[in-house]
């Protein structure tokens, strides 16, 4: 069965690093909202007013991969809120993918590469819900 893997966690938790491992050196695609804000040289520049476009790009790339029958697709986003996962849950059902939700914890004192301060990280953490 085809798999959709949603990596959830706060910035700096190691989602991107794990995504690279799960992609088996690029054999499987990894999509992230961050990709929209990252240029060819790897420089990240977040533009809040374009955030909705970044979400849409990530969804469109995922849908296209599902249409093409890619057997494993990895999503590397914070997914702190339920609504952020819903489009992918619906796509997985539509295309017959098994959906996995992996919470990545920052137990290695990783630092986020986007310059998000501790106050903002705390706000994100307070909204983060896990279903056990």
């Amino acid at each position: 069965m085809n798999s959709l893997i949603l990596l959830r966690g706060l910035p700096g938790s190691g989602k991107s690093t794990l995504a690279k491992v799960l992609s088996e050196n690029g054999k499987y695609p990894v999509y992230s909202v961050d990709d929209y804000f990252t240029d060819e040289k790897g420089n990240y520049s977040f533009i809040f007013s374009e955030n909705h476009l970044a979400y849409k790009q990530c969804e469109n790339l995922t849908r296209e991969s599902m249409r093409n029958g890619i057997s494993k697709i990895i999503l590397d986003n914070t997914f702190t809120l339920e609504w952020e996962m819903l489009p992918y849950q619906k796509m997985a059902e539509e295309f017959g993918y098994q959906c996995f939700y992996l919470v990545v914890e920052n137990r290695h004192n990783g630092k986020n590469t986007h310059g998000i301060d501790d106050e903002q990280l705390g706000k994100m953490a307070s909204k983060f819900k896990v279903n056990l």
Side-chain angles (χ1 to χ4, degrees):
M1 174 170 269
N2 293 335
S3 301
L4 177 65
I5 302 168
L6 280 69
L7 300 178
R8 305 179 62 208
L10 296 181
S13 62
K15 295 180 305 298
S16 298
T17 302
L18 178 58
K20 288 176 187 169
V21 171
L22 293 174
S23 76
E24 299 179 33
N25 294 318
K27 179 178 177 183
Y28 300 103
V30 175
Y31 301 123
S32 174
V33 170
D34 286 347
D35 295 341
Y36 180 89
F37 301 106
T38 306
D39 68 17
E40 313 80 44
K41 296 179 181 178
N43 299 313
Y44 179 82
S45 180
F46 180 73
I47 304 165
F48 182 77
S49 64
E50 295 182 15
N51 205 29
H52 68 288
L53 298 173
Y55 276 93
K56 192 51 70 182
Q57 175 182 283
C58 192
E59 290 173 24
N60 290 341
L61 290 169
T62 302
R63 179 174 292 282
E64 186 63 28
S65 288
M66 288 182 174
R67 273 195 195 110
N68 291 328
I70 303 297
S71 61
K72 181 168 62 170
I73 303 165
I74 301 109
L75 297 174
D76 163 19
N77 290 323
T78 55
F79 291 118
T80 55
L81 303 171
E82 282 292 320
W83 69 263
E84 295 170 315
M85 294 180 280
L86 288 176
Y88 302 103
Q89 290 170 311
K90 290 177 182 176
M91 274 188 255
E93 291 172 14
E94 178 183 345
F95 289 95
Y97 276 69
Q98 187 168 10
C99 204
F100 296 93
Y101 306 86
L102 303 177
V103 176
V104 182
E105 297 181 16
N106 187 353
R107 293 181 177 249
H108 58 287
N109 293 320
K111 302 296 179 210
N112 77 78
T113 59
H114 304 310
I116 298 172
D117 63 34
D118 289 342
E119 181 182 347
Q120 185 63 29
L121 285 173
K123 288 178 183 177
M124 293 175 79
S126 71
K127 297 174 187 175
F128 198 98
K129 303 290 184 240
V130 177
N131 292 338
L132 299 177

